[in-house]
Amino acid sequence: MSIEDLLYKPQNSLVVQSLHSRLGAEPTNGDGFGVGWYGSTETPGVFRSAEPAWNDRNLRELAAHVASPLVFAHIRASIGSPVQQTNCHPFRHGRWLWMHNGYLDGFAALKRDLLVTVDPDLFPSIEGSTDSELFFFLALTFGLAEDPPAAVARAVGCIEETAQRHGVAFPVQMTVATTDGQTVWAFRYSSEGRSRSLFHSTDVSTLRHQYPDNPMLHGLSDDARLVVSEPLGDLRGAWREVPESTSITVRGGAEELHDFEPA
Amino acid sequence: MSIEDLLYKPQNSLVVQSLHSRLGAEPTNGDGFGVGWYGSTETPGVFRSAEPAWNDRNLRELAAHVASPLVFAHIRASIGSPVQQTNCHPFRHGRWLWMHNGYLDGFAALKRDLLVTVDPDLFPSIEGSTDSELFFFLALTFGLAEDPPAAVARAVGCIEETAQRHGVAFPVQMTVATTDGQTVWAFRYSSEGRSRSLFHSTDVSTLRHQYPDNPMLHGLSDDARLVVSEPLGDLRGAWREVPESTSITVRGGAEELHDFEPA
Amino acid sequence: MSIEDLLYKPQNSLVVQSLHSRLGAEPTNGDGFGVGWYGSTETPGVFRSAEPAWNDRNLRELAAHVASPLVFAHIRASIGSPVQQTNCHPFRHGRWLWMHNGYLDGFAALKRDLLVTVDPDLFPSIEGSTDSELFFFLALTFGLAEDPPAAVARAVGCIEETAQRHGVAFPVQMTVATTDGQTVWAFRYSSEGRSRSLFHSTDVSTLRHQYPDNPMLHGLSDDARLVVSEPLGDLRGAWREVPESTSITVRGGAEELHDFEPA
Amino acid sequence: MSIEDLLYKPQNSLVVQSLHSRLGAEPTNGDGFGVGWYGSTETPGVFRSAEPAWNDRNLRELAAHVASPLVFAHIRASIGSPVQQTNCHPFRHGRWLWMHNGYLDGFAALKRDLLVTVDPDLFPSIEGSTDSELFFFLALTFGLAEDPPAAVARAVGCIEETAQRHGVAFPVQMTVATTDGQTVWAFRYSSEGRSRSLFHSTDVSTLRHQYPDNPMLHGLSDDARLVVSEPLGDLRGAWREVPESTSITVRGGAEELHDFEPA
């Protein structure tokens, strides 16, 4: 499946969402974008830009010419951090990609303590200034490569504990997706219990049967799964909402849902 | 009055409009912006960028440090032309500035004929690829510096005649503003008779009396006038809509309205 | 062969040349760059940017992840035209790519007449404002798709004739390369007879024998050929200069040189 | 004096230097630039961009329209940090500006310890990822606002001490300039004792007498002083080199030199 099929062709494609998000916290997501994909090299490719996704001609070229079994794509609405390439998602470390929809409340107050918590060997790899990238490096510090759900739970726990010391009530608002190129883990959680939307696609063969005329479905194999902040089209029955405080693991055409809580 | 007072401080400021336009044809105007102003030099200054106005830190700096008796500001929603600095408004030629909200329908078909109509001495000064800049150079060709309303009427007439030859029914959709640094001329017109919105402010001293607590009004002299696509705030009585097929001339604290029709 | 092998790995790679050109007319080529390549789609991919090649992180990502049997790459030193993506080489039309090292002297004076010479059906596809892109569209107008050397000769002839009418003595300074994805045609010519440098590589198998330790040579098949403005490394015997007023045609591991003169 | 007189008009102007530096460690300084100036507002204005100075049209506009009694200007050649606006000099905090020519050797290893040394109240104001900005915040932490030479000496001492712990032999290579809008302090120092070049101008009235035809000298008042990495023109006798391990203080048309050593 080419990246173009994901970014441009669906009715409510990610590029359309960047101009007019229906469910997002911000209607306009024009503060940069990024795409990550796994190709022939050891580490994934990452294409990120600080300009609006809807204007980027190179994104359109890349999307038409790169095919990959696993693609991460993100559109950004900054709530304060500078709009620059190093602050665009997905973030990469080795074979891992990470993207975050949401924010860490009170981040200016928490940042110093959280930075110090990062493994000193990982510290020099932090390139940007966002809460989202620091969150990634906390998860790496807590063992993302060994046990992703446990590492994310510990990172969230660490953030909430730090926030408590600084008098920040509800520090974490997140949907997060991370991958090693084989498995995708996604999380929906917020300290306050009012998380942003997260959906996953249902079985593609069933959908193809129900909607024989939909071209996007024919570009997808039976194993394909999409995990998205907003449904990409109006196919009823195609999307299931991931519940609050839940993690979802997708691998080889199967998904599992588990409860998620900070450790 | 500093540029900041115009661009950032009002409730529905131009920068706010760039993210969420209420009356515009496009809700998001994230495809560049520009500011022109008259200072101590012979020609006006122009600051233009292809990125969204709401993200531009240099615009904020410039706005805070430049004061001018006459400021042009524009936010762009491209409908096809490349998003690049040379396509951003206002356009400048000598002491003249020009900005255009709207489009020339069928421009791809008309462009060659219209380019050839431009005075060969002016031709090399065309820098970008938009309909709006070419429209400016047609108006310059037809005598903008001598009689602006007549020159714009002739430019519109020329465009409509060219369109007719190419089978384009309603080629002109415009609000246009132009100035030599002393007088501002603005136009509301469309071939179809359904033009985009255009407003001008009413007498500032009356408003200041009605709204004694509004800080923006205190930064304006009694002579100040604003001509805008959308009202900058909710002050009832502060804005009058310019009617269809009308030109407005603003100079020295007084405005005059005249009928406008293509020549 | 991945694009990375061409752009980053050689000793005097194109990215190194963008900072410190040895033979070029300008030591710094920091005014944008572009890469074109043929992949799985009908038309070639094109990645262009107005920033310096040495800083572009996305170029590095693309280069590592895209492999192609035929790659065009260009670094730009503007001599007047705006530094913007639409002015970056290579230019594309259908299956054709075009890049130009040099300039048309007196272009401001010639542009209007040359634009009018372009086939009206091709005219709307001109996106930028450079002499180089207009040169491409003249060649297309004169039959580039049917007989490239003849079309380029007629385009050069047309430019020289137009220049004569405007009193420009030596209008054309060029090395040009163009391709339909199968064959590459390159040209070295200037009206004055003092053209910029152009080199082509010699037989790869011979070189591999002479330099068994050079890794770049092992990434190239015996059929591979490079046509470059400057040699990419210090391998003596690896590069032959293309003489003045010469065209070179490369296809399937063989090259042919012919005299070139304007028609 | 307008910024234009400084940036564009001299023979070896800063914009010319960005393309072809004569004395700099890097011949090309195309990785961004910045200008800071003191105007009518409390804090100085700062205009920074990640693109090459020689291409920036907005810089040229700003330079022509902003006049100021005190201007800081910087061109950047990155040696690793991302090329982004938040990494461009001058850096600003309150009324203070700071720019640094040079680097902190082994910065990746030292960064974490140095960040932790910054006053936690100042910490959230760090926006970029460079050694130069962190150096500024160390100086602020050590009392830049009270006693600039002492604060810079303590910051350098702290960096050298931290470097020693990490086995970095010569961590500091610097010319630094900082100002509160009234006084300029500049420093030439390196741990190794081989610092980058730094010059200051001599008495303007003497120069004007020696070079009656030089237009730049007539735009300068007798009080004017320039402190630069490279002389801006060929006027013999116009420039004095600042010696190694020296600080220079410029205020009201007078300069003082003092020995500088880390505290």
Side-chain angles (χ1 to χ4, degrees):
Chain A
M1 185 192 187
S2 84
I3 295 177
E4 193 175 27
D5 294 324
L6 174 65
L7 291 186
Y8 292 95
K9 294 193 178 162
Q11 192 184 340
N12 185 33
S13 75
L14 203 64
V15 170
V16 169
Q17 285 182 36
S18 71
L19 261 170
H20 312 290
S21 169
R22 297 180 194 170
L23 303 179
E26 299 291 338
T28 305
N29 290 265
D31 302 335
F33 67 88
V35 178
W37 73 94
Y38 291 83
S40 55
T41 55
E42 182 68 18
T43 53
V46 173
F47 180 99
R48 302 187 295 173
S49 166
E51 64 174 308
W54 65 81
N55 279 336
D56 201 281
R57 292 172 167 227
N58 287 328
L59 175 61
R60 196 172 274 273
E61 295 289 322
L62 182 89
H65 286 87
V66 172
S68 167
L70 201 167
V71 176
F72 262 36
H74 187 270
I75 51 176
R76 184 167 182 245
S78 170
I79 46 173
S81 308
V83 175
Q84 57 194 22
Q85 197 177 14
T86 53
N87 284 351
C88 293
H89 310 221
F91 301 102
R92 173 178 61 192
H93 188 76
R95 279 195 65 76
W96 287 83
L97 293 176
W98 173 278
M99 55 193 190
H100 172 212
N101 188 356
Y103 55 86
L104 301 188
D105 193 38
F107 182 58
L110 313 182
K111 186 173 185 180
R112 191 171 177 273
D113 286 3
L114 296 178
L115 267 178
V116 173
T117 309
V118 171
D119 179 342
D121 290 343
L122 293 170
F123 186 88
S125 299
I126 298 175
E127 288 198 317
S129 57
T130 59
D131 48 1
S132 301
E133 186 190 22
L134 181 44
F135 189 2
F136 178 30
F137 277 82
L138 288 172
L140 287 164
T141 298
F142 289 123
L144 186 68
E146 288 77 43
D147 183 344
V152 173
R154 288 185 61 195
V156 171
C158 163
I159 294 164
E160 293 191 338
E161 192 185 271
T162 306
Q164 206 169 9
R165 285 204 311 274
H166 288 269
V168 176
F170 303 118
V172 179
Q173 171 61 260
M174 73 187 240
T175 58
V176 155
T178 188
T179 182
D180 60 358
Q182 302 294 329
T183 305
V184 174
W185 295 266
F187 304 85
R188 184 181 181 197
Y189 174 79
S190 59
S191 308
E192 202 183 357
R194 300 164 53 126
S195 306
R196 299 194 169 189
S197 60
L198 186 66
F199 296 83
H200 67 98
S201 63
T202 51
D203 184 59
V204 171
S205 62
T206 311
L207 284 171
R208 206 181 286 119
H209 190 71
Q210 286 182 290
Y211 301 92
D213 300 333
N214 189 296
M216 186 182 120
L217 297 173
H218 293 276
L220 294 173
S221 79
D222 286 0
D223 282 1
R225 290 295 179 276
L226 293 119
V227 180
V228 297
S229 294
E230 297 188 21
L232 299 180
D234 284 335
L235 304 182
R236 207 178 312 186
W239 303 97
R240 283 201 199 118
E241 191 163 9
V242 177
E244 275 279 354
S245 302
T246 303
S247 75
I248 173 170
T249 307
V250 182
R251 184 186 175 103
E255 62 271 338
E256 276 178 34
L257 277 74
H258 295 279
D259 289 347
F260 175 82
E261 61 178 30
Chain B
M1 184 192 191
S2 84
I3 296 178
E4 193 174 28
D5 294 325
L6 173 65
L7 291 186
Y8 293 96
K9 295 192 178 164
Q11 190 183 345
N12 185 32
S13 75
L14 203 65
V15 169
V16 168
Q17 284 182 38
S18 71
L19 262 170
H20 313 291
S21 168
R22 297 179 193 171
L23 302 180
E26 298 291 336
T28 305
N29 290 266
D31 303 336
F33 68 88
V35 178
W37 71 97
Y38 291 83
S40 55
T41 56
E42 182 68 18
T43 53
V46 173
F47 181 98
R48 301 186 297 173
S49 165
E51 64 173 306
W54 64 81
N55 279 337
D56 200 284
R57 293 173 165 227
N58 287 329
L59 175 61
R60 196 172 277 271
E61 295 290 323
L62 182 90
H65 286 88
V66 172
S68 167
L70 200 167
V71 176
F72 262 36
H74 187 269
I75 50 176
R76 185 168 180 244
S78 169
I79 47 172
S81 307
V83 176
Q84 56 194 21
Q85 197 177 12
T86 53
N87 284 351
C88 293
H89 312 219
F91 300 102
R92 174 178 59 192
H93 188 76
R95 278 195 66 76
W96 288 82
L97 292 177
W98 173 279
M99 55 193 189
H100 172 213
N101 188 358
Y103 54 87
L104 302 188
D105 194 38
F107 183 58
L110 313 181
K111 186 174 186 180
R112 189 171 178 275
D113 286 3
L114 296 178
L115 268 178
V116 173
T117 309
V118 172
D119 179 342
D121 290 344
L122 293 170
F123 186 88
S125 299
I126 299 175
E127 287 197 318
S129 58
T130 59
D131 47 1
S132 301
E133 187 191 20
L134 181 43
F135 189 2
F136 179 31
F137 277 83
L138 288 172
L140 288 164
T141 297
F142 289 123
L144 186 68
E146 288 76 43
D147 183 345
V152 173
R154 287 185 62 194
V156 172
C158 164
I159 294 164
E160 293 192 337
E161 191 184 272
T162 306
Q164 206 168 10
R165 284 204 312 275
H166 288 269
V168 176
F170 302 119
V172 179
Q173 170 62 258
M174 75 187 238
T175 59
V176 155
T178 188
T179 183
D180 60 358
Q182 302 293 329
T183 306
V184 173
W185 294 266
F187 303 86
R188 183 180 183 201
Y189 174 79
S190 59
S191 307
E192 202 183 357
R194 300 165 52 127
S195 305
R196 299 194 169 188
S197 60
L198 185 66
F199 296 83
H200 68 98
S201 64
T202 51
D203 184 59
V204 172
S205 61
T206 312
L207 284 171
R208 207 182 286 119
H209 190 70
Q210 286 182 289
Y211 301 92
D213 300 334
N214 190 296
M216 186 181 121
L217 297 173
H218 292 275
L220 294 172
S221 78
D222 285 1
D223 281 1
R225 290 295 179 276
L226 294 120
V227 180
V228 297
S229 295
E230 297 187 20
L232 298 180
D234 284 335
L235 303 183
R236 208 179 311 187
W239 303 97
R240 281 201 200 118
E241 192 163 10
V242 177
E244 275 279 354
S245 301
T246 303
S247 75
I248 173 171
T249 307
V250 182
R251 185 186 175 104
E255 62 271 338
E256 275 179 35
L257 276 75
H258 294 280
D259 288 347
F260 174 82
E261 60 179 30
Chain C
M1 185 192 189
S2 83
I3 295 177
E4 192 174 29
D5 295 325
L6 173 66
L7 291 186
Y8 292 96
K9 295 192 177 161
Q11 191 183 342
N12 185 32
S13 75
L14 202 65
V15 170
V16 169
Q17 285 183 36
S18 70
L19 260 171
H20 313 291
S21 169
R22 298 179 191 172
L23 302 179
E26 299 291 336
T28 305
N29 290 265
D31 303 334
F33 67 88
V35 178
W37 72 95
Y38 291 84
S40 55
T41 55
E42 182 68 17
T43 52
V46 172
F47 180 98
R48 302 187 296 173
S49 166
E51 63 173 308
W54 65 81
N55 279 337
D56 200 283
R57 294 173 165 225
N58 287 329
L59 175 61
R60 196 171 277 271
E61 296 288 322
L62 184 89
H65 286 89
V66 172
S68 167
L70 200 167
V71 175
F72 262 36
H74 187 270
I75 50 176
R76 183 164 182 246
S78 169
I79 47 172
S81 308
V83 176
Q84 57 194 22
Q85 197 177 14
T86 52
N87 284 351
C88 293
H89 312 220
F91 301 101
R92 174 179 59 192
H93 188 77
R95 279 194 66 77
W96 288 82
L97 293 176
W98 173 279
M99 54 194 191
H100 172 213
N101 188 357
Y103 55 87
L104 301 189
D105 194 37
F107 182 59
L110 312 181
K111 187 173 185 179
R112 190 171 176 275
D113 286 4
L114 296 178
L115 267 179
V116 173
T117 309
V118 171
D119 179 343
D121 290 343
L122 292 169
F123 187 87
S125 300
I126 298 175
E127 288 197 317
S129 58
T130 60
D131 48 1
S132 301
E133 187 191 21
L134 180 46
F135 190 2
F136 178 30
F137 277 84
L138 288 171
L140 287 165
T141 298
F142 290 122
L144 186 68
E146 288 76 45
D147 183 344
V152 173
R154 288 185 61 195
V156 172
C158 164
I159 294 164
E160 294 191 337
E161 193 186 86
T162 305
Q164 206 168 9
R165 285 205 311 273
H166 289 269
V168 176
F170 303 118
V172 179
Q173 171 60 259
M174 74 186 240
T175 58
V176 155
T178 188
T179 182
D180 60 358
Q182 302 293 329
T183 306
V184 173
W185 295 266
F187 304 86
R188 183 182 183 197
Y189 174 78
S190 59
S191 307
E192 203 183 359
R194 303 165 50 126
S195 306
R196 300 193 168 188
S197 61
L198 186 66
F199 296 84
H200 68 98
S201 64
T202 51
D203 184 59
V204 172
S205 62
T206 312
L207 284 170
R208 208 182 284 120
H209 189 71
Q210 286 183 292
Y211 301 92
D213 300 333
N214 189 296
M216 185 181 121
L217 297 173
H218 292 275
L220 294 173
S221 78
D222 285 3
D223 282 1
R225 289 296 179 275
L226 293 118
V227 180
V228 297
S229 293
E230 297 188 21
L232 299 179
D234 285 336
L235 304 181
R236 205 178 314 187
W239 302 98
R240 282 202 199 117
E241 191 165 10
V242 177
E244 274 279 353
S245 302
T246 303
S247 75
I248 174 171
T249 306
V250 182
R251 184 187 175 104
E255 62 271 338
E256 276 180 35
L257 277 75
H258 295 280
D259 289 348
F260 174 83
E261 59 178 30
Chain D
M1 184 192 190
S2 83
I3 295 178
E4 191 173 29
D5 295 325
L6 173 65
L7 291 186
Y8 292 96
K9 295 191 176 162
Q11 192 183 344
N12 186 32
S13 74
L14 202 65
V15 170
V16 169
Q17 285 182 37
S18 70
L19 261 170
H20 313 290
S21 169
R22 297 177 192 174
L23 303 179
E26 298 292 336
T28 304
N29 290 265
D31 302 336
F33 68 88
V35 177
W37 72 94
Y38 291 83
S40 54
T41 56
E42 182 67 17
T43 53
V46 173
F47 180 98
R48 303 187 295 173
S49 165
E51 64 174 307
W54 65 80
N55 279 337
D56 200 283
R57 293 172 166 227
N58 287 328
L59 175 61
R60 195 171 277 273
E61 295 289 322
L62 183 90
H65 286 87
V66 172
S68 167
L70 202 167
V71 176
F72 261 37
H74 187 270
I75 50 176
R76 184 166 182 245
S78 169
I79 48 172
S81 307
V83 176
Q84 57 195 22
Q85 197 178 12
T86 53
N87 284 350
C88 293
H89 311 221
F91 301 101
R92 174 179 59 192
H93 189 76
R95 277 195 67 78
W96 289 82
L97 292 177
W98 174 278
M99 54 193 191
H100 172 213
N101 189 357
Y103 55 86
L104 302 188
D105 194 36
F107 181 58
L110 312 182
K111 186 174 186 180
R112 192 172 175 274
D113 286 3
L114 296 177
L115 267 179
V116 173
T117 309
V118 171
D119 180 341
D121 290 343
L122 293 169
F123 186 88
S125 299
I126 299 175
E127 288 198 316
S129 58
T130 60
D131 48 0
S132 301
E133 186 191 22
L134 181 43
F135 189 1
F136 178 29
F137 276 85
L138 288 171
L140 287 165
T141 298
F142 289 123
L144 186 68
E146 287 76 45
D147 184 344
V152 173
R154 288 184 62 195
V156 172
C158 163
I159 294 164
E160 293 190 338
E161 192 185 270
T162 306
Q164 207 168 7
R165 285 204 312 272
H166 288 269
V168 176
F170 303 120
V172 179
Q173 170 62 259
M174 74 187 238
T175 58
V176 155
T178 188
T179 183
D180 61 358
Q182 301 294 328
T183 307
V184 173
W185 295 265
F187 304 85
R188 183 182 182 198
Y189 174 78
S190 59
S191 307
E192 203 183 358
R194 301 165 52 125
S195 306
R196 299 194 168 187
S197 60
L198 186 67
F199 296 84
H200 67 99
S201 64
T202 51
D203 184 59
V204 172
S205 61
T206 313
L207 284 171
R208 207 182 286 121
H209 190 70
Q210 287 182 290
Y211 301 92
D213 300 333
N214 189 297
M216 185 181 120
L217 297 173
H218 292 276
L220 293 173
S221 79
D222 285 2
D223 281 1
R225 290 296 179 275
L226 293 120
V227 180
V228 297
S229 294
E230 298 188 19
L232 299 180
D234 284 336
L235 303 181
R236 206 178 313 188
W239 302 98
R240 285 204 197 113
E241 192 163 9
V242 177
E244 274 279 355
S245 302
T246 303
S247 75
I248 174 170
T249 307
V250 182
R251 185 186 174 105
E255 62 271 339
E256 276 180 33
L257 277 74
H258 295 279
D259 288 348
F260 174 82
E261 60 180 29

